[in-house]
Amino acid sequence: MLDPFLTPPPFLSALAVPIASFFNLTTLPLHIHEIVLAFTFYHLVNSLGSPYVSRLLFPNIYPSLNARTKTNWDVHVVSLVQSCLINVLALWVMWKDEERGNMDWEQRVWGYTGGGGMIQGLAAGYFLWDLCVSVTNIQIFGWGLLAHAIAALIVFSIGFRPFVNFYGPTFILYELSSPFLNFHWFFDKVNMTGSRPQLYNGLLLLFTFFSCRLVWGTYQSVRVYQDVWAAIQTPGTMTFYANHTMAATEQSMNADTEIMRFAGNRTVPIWLACTYLGSNIVLNTLNFYWFGKMIETVKKRFQPQKEKRGATAMGGKVNSEERMKVEMDGHGHQSVMAEKTQIRRRKIEQEDEGPMIG
């Protein structure tokens, strides 16, 4: 499948050649425009789109948020937009890319298709933006999200060598759980903590996260380990150095011949295998850790509150303290529950100010 996106402007490809040559990212010039476009688009959504739309949809909530929560809100909007777009595109590429569907293990390791390159370019642009946001707001998002951004950017950038380009659309499907994660966070901010919509969304979040990241992700990780292991076992494949190739500046014209066009001498430097597989392990470890935290977070929203009951004194008389309780139970039940809900909501906002995943 050829890259269905626009061809990169020649001047932009030329600017990417030195970077591609230095890091041996052969196909980077062919997709540099997609990286730049994705980075710019998500920056504009974060800085202009989210504040404008959020004020229109939530005029009584968004303007009253503090600066820290507004930053978090805008990042969640970007994550929601990105996950919806990239999921649709990745599933479309996996469905329509016939050359990708017929690859053997060698082609999965060293092969390339323009469709897979497009997904890697758009994903790399987002994770580059995510890395910048994580670095500049480390006090909000923490070191876990910074590690996630670095590992994800490495994984999708290495695909431009090309190396396991096949698995780009595969692993980006981790993002299938992200829309539900973002909605779960938004429910807290729009005063719907503990509501039925948040409960249903939370169940979908746990299901998609478990299915896409833990089951699908672990299975595909085993597959990529098997393919890389098969490559390593091939005599003359494993090396201690990188074999540099010329950066590509011309798009492929034939989908069949482009698959192994950039395969070169088909070597796997030790550092490359360790870097890719190590980054993949980091992402999977974070996914298992976050899933445990996610269960705790969802449960916390729906733990029943203990109801206090007023007690009367013997003989039908009540003292002043007990009378106050009886009056509140009889006439102020809704106000008491509202107060409890507000306290609980404030506590959740304090404990869950940052997102679990970028």
Side-chain angles (χ1 to χ4, degrees):
M1 181 181 191
L2 300 177
D3 189 343
F5 205 67
L6 301 172
T7 57
F11 79 92
L12 199 56
S13 292
L15 290 175
V17 168
I19 301 175
S21 299
F22 182 81
F23 291 103
N24 204 23
L25 303 177
T26 306
T27 63
L28 177 62
L30 302 181
H31 301 283
I32 186 63
H33 61 308
E34 291 156 349
I35 297 176
V36 173
L37 181 63
F39 182 92
T40 304
F41 173 69
Y42 295 127
H43 173 70
L44 292 176
V45 171
N46 179 73
S47 59
L48 299 177
S50 175
Y52 178 76
V53 175
S54 298
R55 285 189 177 91
L56 289 179
L57 297 180
F58 304 98
N60 297 324
I61 295 177
Y62 183 82
S64 63
L65 299 176
N66 58 47
R68 177 188 178 95
T69 306
K70 278 185 180 179
T71 298
N72 214 332
W73 178 294
D74 295 334
V75 168
H76 275 279
V77 171
V78 175
S79 176
L80 177 62
V81 172
Q82 187 271 156
S83 58
C84 292
L85 288 176
I86 202 67
N87 284 330
V88 172
L89 290 173
L91 289 171
W92 178 74
V93 167
M94 295 174 70
W95 179 262
K96 299 293 291 186
D97 193 345
E98 298 179 1
E99 292 75 27
R100 180 183 180 277
N102 296 323
M103 286 183 174
D104 55 25
W105 72 264
E106 289 183 281
Q107 293 171 330
R108 289 196 296 269
V109 174
W110 292 293
Y112 162 87
T113 68
M118 178 192 70
I119 297 299
Q120 287 184 317
L122 297 176
Y126 169 74
F127 287 117
L128 180 61
W129 173 87
D130 189 35
L131 175 61
C132 294
V133 171
S134 298
V135 169
T136 55
N137 297 279
I138 189 68
Q139 73 282 1
I140 298 178
F141 303 117
W143 294 99
L145 286 180
L146 178 60
H148 177 272
I150 293 173
L153 183 59
I154 289 174
V155 165
F156 284 96
S157 296
I158 286 176
F160 293 120
R161 294 183 64 88
F163 180 71
V164 291
N165 168 273
F166 171 90
Y167 288 97
T170 298
F171 286 119
I172 202 62
L173 291 184
Y174 280 4
E175 295 293 316
L176 283 170
S177 64
S178 293
F180 303 104
L181 173 66
N182 290 302
F183 279 123
H184 183 80
W185 188 90
F186 283 125
F187 279 129
D188 284 339
K189 306 309 173 189
V190 297
N191 302 323
M192 295 182 66
T193 300
S195 63
R196 285 187 178 274
Q198 190 181 48
L199 172 61
Y200 300 145
N201 180 82
L203 295 176
L204 289 172
L205 167 60
L206 294 177
F207 174 76
T208 54
F209 195 97
F210 179 80
S211 301
C212 301
R213 293 181 181 255
L214 304 191
V215 177
W216 170 263
T218 302
Y219 168 69
Q220 293 298 332
S221 294
V222 171
R223 289 194 62 193
V224 75
Y225 296 157
Q226 291 174 334
D227 286 343
V228 173
W229 180 253
I232 292 174
Q233 295 303 300
T234 303
T237 296
M238 204 65 179
T239 66
F240 290 93
Y241 57 89
N243 292 293
H244 292 280
T245 56
M246 294 293 294
T249 56
E250 295 183 4
Q251 295 279 0
S252 300
M253 302 302 294
N254 186 294
D256 293 322
T257 59
E258 81 165 351
I259 295 177
M260 301 300 285
R261 174 188 171 192
F262 308 109
N265 54 9
R266 305 186 190 183
T267 59
V268 179
I270 293 177
W271 68 266
L272 177 61
C274 293
T275 300
Y276 184 90
L277 299 182
S279 298
N280 190 275
I281 291 173
V282 169
L283 293 175
N284 285 329
T285 301
L286 287 171
N287 284 332
F288 278 92
Y289 169 76
W290 277 325
F291 185 68
K293 300 295 291 184
M294 199 173 295
I295 293 176
E296 295 178 6
T297 301
V298 172
K299 287 175 60 178
K300 182 171 60 178
R301 267 65 171 177
F302 303 99
Q303 288 177 344
Q305 294 286 319
K306 293 182 179 180
E307 297 181 358
K308 296 182 178 180
R309 300 179 180 179
T312 59
M314 294 180 63
K317 295 181 179 180
V318 295
N319 59 31
S320 60
E321 182 179 357
E322 290 171 337
R323 184 163 53 247
M324 185 181 298
K325 291 182 180 179
V326 171
E327 289 175 357
M328 292 185 71
D329 284 341
H331 304 286
H333 180 72
Q334 293 296 327
S335 63
V336 173
M337 293 303 294
E339 183 180 358
K340 288 180 181 178
T341 302
Q342 290 169 4
I343 293 173
R344 186 179 174 199
R345 187 172 294 129
R346 285 197 299 269
K347 182 178 180 182
I348 288 173
E349 289 180 356
Q350 291 171 357
E351 293 177 352
D352 190 37
E353 187 64 31
M356 288 177 285
I357 301 176

